[in-house]
Amino acid sequence: MNDSIISLKNIDKKFNIGQDNELQILFDISLEIPKGQFVSIVGSSGAGKSTLMNILGLLDKPTSGSYTLNRFCTSELNDKQLSKIRNAEIGFVFQTFNLIPRLNAIKNVELPMLYKGVAQKERTENARKLMEMVGMSDRCEHFPNQLSGGQKQRVSIARAMANEPSIILADEPTGALDTVTGRKIMDIFHRLNKEQGKTIVLITHSPELASETDRIVTISDGKIISDSEGTQ
Amino acid sequence: MNLIECVKMAVSSIKANKMRSLLTMLGIIIGISAVIIITTIGGSVKATMNNAFNSFGMNYFYGWFTPKEYTEDVYDKLEADDLPTLQMYYDLVEKYPDQFEISENEFYCDGKVLNQKNDYQNISLRCTTSGYFSMTNKKLAEGRFLTLRDDLEKKSVAVVSQSFAHKYCGNSSIINKPITIALQTGEEAIFYVVGVYEDNTTDVERSSSEKTNIYVPFQYLVDPKNCSSNYVTVVWNQDMGIKSAKENFTRFFENIYHSNEYWHVEVDEYDQEMLGTINIALNILTIAFSVIAAISLLVGGIGVMNIMLVSIVERTSEIGVRKALGAQNSSIRIQFVMEAIMICIIGSIIGILIGLGFSYLLGFVGSYVVTTVVPEYADVVDVTVKPSVIAIIISVLSSILIGVTFGFYPANRAAKMNPIDALRHE
């Protein structure tokens, strides 16, 4: 499909290839994700969600198959180019937040822009706007250890949005949060999706969370076993 | 990411964990401050010593009559009127008043002096030029020392010691009194005493058999026109400076000898060479000790490397996050090398400050010791603290080098980390 922002075709992933403990995690995964969709990828532990997310996030390369992200054909790219595309096209939100502890909130948000080469003034301006968007303007100078879980995740989301990426990849974003805080985070995702048309891929093991999204893709034993869009 | 960003990021990392950064820097701080202290001590001892030597009167050089070019047969070509005369040296002193003194001290003969009561004293007759007294720092007790005029006018005058004067005529003044010297050669000479010098012995200490020096004008020994000196001591006035003294001396004799094919009079720096040798020895010692101190810099660098290795393991997930956000391997590498460099630079600055501070402290202590323990030398030995600028510059540069060298291995390991494993680390 032409307006697919993510296009996975026949993705296989094997580890320890050629050795005695060769292991295949993903089997022939094909997936088209159109722009602006809020997709969740569901599966139990060990189903291959993390591996799939690593491939989606350009942190890992598939053993075979192709991955086209926003018209970039990623199989041809070397590490340097992959880093660049990661920086420009993908916004990560992790379960354990992964903020850099020695930087304050606003500097954390600035980080992707720093690696893109944006000038200091512009970086700080953008970062402030993003912090405002997630409702954290009054805590810009706080350090991560001074923030609650929910606040850290909000900073995380602001950071993910910093370079206006094509997709947001959220790996169990509410996994370390209580229900109330987790609800607030999900609301932010919904807002980003509805108001700004952001494509969001949510990885989760919770079917309840998944049901909030536009489309649910279920993985089991490295294969897609169901897709609420109908195509399998 | 440009250089300033890099430096800022490195500094903020260092500030984030001040105690650890300080401990990491410790080796560098110790090494650099040791080098600074050693080089400053070396430079200060040299400066103080050179000043002291000059004050002591090592402010002379020799005028040396010598061939312009040494060939085997040059001495066959020596003629009587090639030789310099004392008169030439006197002309030099006249031409540059207050800059030069020349001095010769020749022992002529022993003798005896009888006083009116027929007590005798043993004396040693020395023929000297007027410069001798200032050159040997003799102190005048009464009257005056010999002057050029005494030589030129061939006066029969003498300068005697305090103990001689006392033995000769007791408490009355010996000035302008004539003394008769019976020389061992059989000659008898009469001189009028014009001056008395302090000889630091009392009447009682010096027995009559001990000889005391009596100084008379040089021309008593030889006729100045015929006297040749191929080695004359030239004392120069320190206020005028040694460079101008040597220049004037050289120019004066160049005028006299420029038409002479084989001979001239030049400056011989024999004693200055000794000072130079001491300086060279001090330089070698300073360098040797600095090298030893620099070894601790090496150890400091190893310390930096170890701490950085620990640090990057601790920051594994941070490195993973940065990579996930799009940091290139080179960015990660530069980040950590820069941290190592900044630690080393900051450490070296602290080391330099400590080193200088300690050196100045030693200087104060040294001055105090000199004025209390050897006060007679206090006005001559002026303890100067002279830090070596070159050492400071080399210290900073080598600290940067250490940062790059010992930071590179850990930085490379950080750069090559797999982001997936790194992210999983915490």
Side-chain angles (χ1 to χ4, degrees):
Chain A
M1 275 187 244
N2 277 347
D3 61 344
S4 291
I5 204 145
I6 288 180
S7 175
L8 291 168
K9 287 192 168 73
N10 311 109
I11 298 284
D12 281 342
K13 180 67 189 172
K14 297 182 193 162
F15 290 99
N16 302 323
I17 295 172
Q19 292 170 41
D20 289 341
N21 52 351
E22 181 176 313
L23 191 62
Q24 180 152 10
I25 300 288
L26 298 177
F27 297 84
D28 198 29
I29 303 269
S30 293
L31 190 59
E32 303 283 326
I33 299 179
K35 193 156 182 265
Q37 192 170 66
F38 193 166
V39 189
S40 51
I41 299 182
V42 195
S44 52
S45 251
K49 305 195 299 290
S50 315
T51 314
L52 183 59
M53 193 205 75
N54 287 338
I55 290 179
L56 283 171
L58 295 177
L59 293 171
D60 202 0
K61 277 189 167 156
T63 319
S64 64
S66 77
Y67 171 24
T68 308
L69 169 65
N70 196 15
R71 273 164 287 142
F72 291 105
C73 178
T74 65
S75 24
E76 325 278 290
L77 302 175
N78 63 25
D79 280 340
K80 251 184 123 163
Q81 292 161 323
L82 284 176
S83 291
K84 269 196 163 153
I85 294 184
R86 231 178 8 249
N87 176 255
E89 304 288 336
I90 303 178
F92 285 97
V93 181
F94 300 98
Q95 177 175 7
T96 50
F97 327 120
N98 282 333
L99 296 176
I100 295 185
R102 60 196 78 225
L103 298 177
N104 64 16
I106 198 156
K107 287 210 162 64
N108 265 289
V109 176
E110 289 179 23
L111 209 48
M113 295 186 267
L114 179 75
Y115 288 122
K116 191 172 184 177
V118 176
Q120 174 74 64
K121 244 177 102 180
E122 213 184 310
R123 282 206 313 260
T124 323
E125 246 178 74
N126 287 349
R128 283 204 190 277
K129 286 193 203 138
L130 289 161
M131 287 289 277
E132 208 184 300
M133 180 187 70
V134 298
M136 288 286 296
S137 345
D138 54 341
R139 289 197 161 72
C140 282
E141 263 86 47
H142 281 61
F143 284 85
N145 63 0
Q146 297 167 314
L147 301 172
S148 70
Q151 290 167 333
K152 281 193 271 207
Q153 198 59 294
R154 281 193 268 168
V155 174
S156 216
I157 295 173
R159 178 181 71 184
M161 295 284 292
N163 282 339
E164 293 180 9
S166 311
I167 62 170
I168 304 267
L169 259 184
D171 180 16
E172 309 268 16
T174 58
L177 306 171
D178 62 77
T179 350
V180 176
T181 330
R183 177 74 261 142
K184 292 200 185 125
I185 296 298
M186 285 305 291
D187 290 341
I188 296 179
F189 280 126
H190 284 295
R191 195 154 42 90
L192 289 176
N193 179 244
K194 295 287 180 297
E195 290 173 18
Q196 298 189 36
K198 271 286 178 267
T199 312
I200 305 182
V201 179
L202 175 76
I203 317 272
T204 180
H205 64 272
S206 155
E208 294 84 25
L209 271 180
S211 58
E212 290 183 34
T213 63
D214 302 339
R215 172 183 176 187
I216 306 175
V217 174
T218 316
I219 290 193
S220 178
D221 293 326
K223 302 187 189 77
I224 296 181
I225 52 172
S226 83
D227 185 342
S228 67
E229 218 128 270
T231 45
Q232 206 149 325
Chain B
M1 220 193 350
N2 64 20
L3 188 66
I4 301 182
E5 303 270 356
C6 241
V7 171
K8 274 199 215 165
M9 210 194 272
V11 172
S12 71
S13 266
I14 293 174
K15 275 183 1 188
N17 202 333
K18 293 195 177 96
M19 199 53 198
R20 166 187 282 181
S21 303
L22 188 68
L23 289 174
T24 313
M25 286 178 204
L26 208 54
I28 308 284
I29 293 175
I30 292 176
I32 299 258
S33 52
V35 170
I36 297 291
I37 290 173
I38 288 172
T39 53
T40 303
I41 289 179
S44 306
V45 169
K46 267 169 56 180
T48 305
M49 185 197 71
N50 283 324
N51 288 340
F53 267 70
N54 283 333
S55 310
F56 268 140
M58 296 285 274
N59 56 336
Y60 56 89
F61 53 84
Y62 293 112
W64 191 25
F65 173 71
T66 183
K68 280 183 177 170
E69 217 185 290
Y70 183 76
T71 56
E72 270 183 38
D73 59 347
V74 73
Y75 278 96
D76 298 336
K77 302 202 181 87
L78 177 59
E79 284 163 35
D81 49 2
D82 284 328
L83 297 166
T85 62
L86 257 187
Q87 181 65 48
M88 286 181 193
Y89 288 102
Y90 289 146
D91 287 340
L92 171 71
V93 174
E94 216 183 294
K95 181 161 184 202
Y96 296 103
D98 296 330
Q99 185 165 49
F100 292 110
E101 289 274 13
I102 57 149
S103 134
E104 282 281 14
N105 173 28
E106 293 244 14
F107 165 63
Y108 181 58
C109 196
D110 285 341
K112 279 199 210 319
V113 176
L114 283 169
N115 68 358
Q116 281 150 351
K117 299 191 205 142
N118 273 336
D119 294 325
Y120 75 92
Q121 293 187 70
N122 282 321
I123 62 105
S124 198
L125 188 65
R126 296 189 176 255
C127 310
T128 110
T129 45
S130 50
Y132 179 78
F133 299 96
S134 58
M135 217 200 81
T136 52
N137 285 328
K138 287 251 185 309
K139 294 205 165 53
L140 188 66
E142 219 189 316
R144 66 165 178 84
F145 285 132
L146 299 177
T147 63
L148 272 180
R149 285 187 65 197
D150 298 328
D151 255 324
L152 295 172
E153 293 171 17
K154 299 189 194 176
K155 287 200 178 149
S156 296
V157 290
V159 174
V160 300
S161 66
Q162 255 179 331
S163 54
F164 175 89
H166 194 78
K167 270 210 159 99
Y168 188 82
C169 56
N171 287 327
S172 50
S173 172
I174 196 176
I175 301 294
N176 289 327
K177 287 204 165 70
I179 55 174
T180 309
I181 307 182
L183 294 166
Q184 277 178 2
T185 55
E187 275 175 71
E188 247 188 33
I190 300 179
F191 290 93
Y192 289 87
V193 178
V194 292
V196 180
Y197 68 90
E198 286 176 19
D199 62 336
N200 297 329
T201 47
T202 61
D203 192 46
V204 177
E205 279 168 37
R206 186 175 67 82
S207 67
S208 37
S209 54
E210 244 177 274
K211 289 189 268 252
T212 174
N213 292 337
I214 294 187
Y215 297 100
V216 300
F218 195 80
Q219 61 83 29
Y220 186 80
L221 183 60
V222 287
D223 188 288
K225 279 214 178 58
N226 292 330
C227 159
S228 73
S229 280
N230 79 335
Y231 238 115
V232 148
T233 312
V234 181
V235 180
W236 49 278
N237 183 342
Q238 279 183 105
D239 295 334
M240 304 278 181
I242 185 157
K243 238 185 125 188
S244 106
K246 286 183 187 169
E247 274 169 19
N248 290 337
F249 184 94
T250 311
R251 211 180 317 125
F252 180 86
F253 278 98
E254 258 168 34
N255 282 338
I256 297 179
Y257 279 93
H258 78 269
S259 53
N260 190 311
E261 198 182 331
Y262 299 109
W263 301 96
H264 66 169
V265 173
E266 64 179 19
V267 172
D268 176 44
E269 303 189 46
Y270 174 73
D271 275 350
Q272 291 288 312
E273 273 176 39
M274 180 176 75
L275 194 61
T277 308
I278 296 179
N279 274 325
I280 290 176
L282 272 176
N283 282 342
I284 292 176
L285 271 177
T286 306
I287 291 178
F289 282 121
S290 301
V291 168
I292 296 177
I295 291 180
S296 66
L297 268 182
L298 202 67
V299 175
I302 295 177
V304 167
M305 181 172 79
N306 283 342
I307 299 293
M308 293 232 66
L309 280 172
V310 169
S311 187
I312 59 161
V313 167
E314 279 184 6
R315 288 154 74 177
T316 304
S317 61
E318 176 188 330
I319 295 169
V321 172
R322 286 180 186 265
K323 285 193 159 190
L325 298 178
Q328 304 277 6
N329 288 1
S330 54
S331 302
I332 304 284
R333 193 178 295 118
I334 289 177
Q335 176 193 342
F336 284 98
V337 170
M338 187 55 78
E339 272 185 43
I341 292 178
M342 288 313 295
I343 286 183
C344 289
I345 288 183
I346 296 174
S348 76
I349 290 175
I350 296 177
I352 289 173
L353 290 174
I354 291 180
L356 287 177
F358 195 69
S359 302
Y360 278 100
L361 189 69
L362 279 181
F364 280 127
V365 171
S367 283
Y368 179 74
V369 167
V370 166
T371 47
T372 47
V373 175
V374 281
E376 59 267 24
Y377 290 123
D379 54 350
V380 160
V381 177
D382 177 27
V383 177
T384 335
V385 180
K386 192 164 170 242
S388 163
V389 176
I390 295 182
I392 292 176
I393 294 178
I394 292 184
S395 296
V396 176
L397 288 179
S398 49
S399 72
I400 296 179
L401 189 66
I402 288 174
V404 171
T405 312
F406 286 98
F408 192 80
Y409 174 63
N412 216 28
R413 285 186 56 144
K416 295 225 167 100
M417 277 187 192
N418 183 326
I420 302 177
D421 299 328
L423 281 166
R424 224 200 306 263
H425 190 261
E426 204 78 342

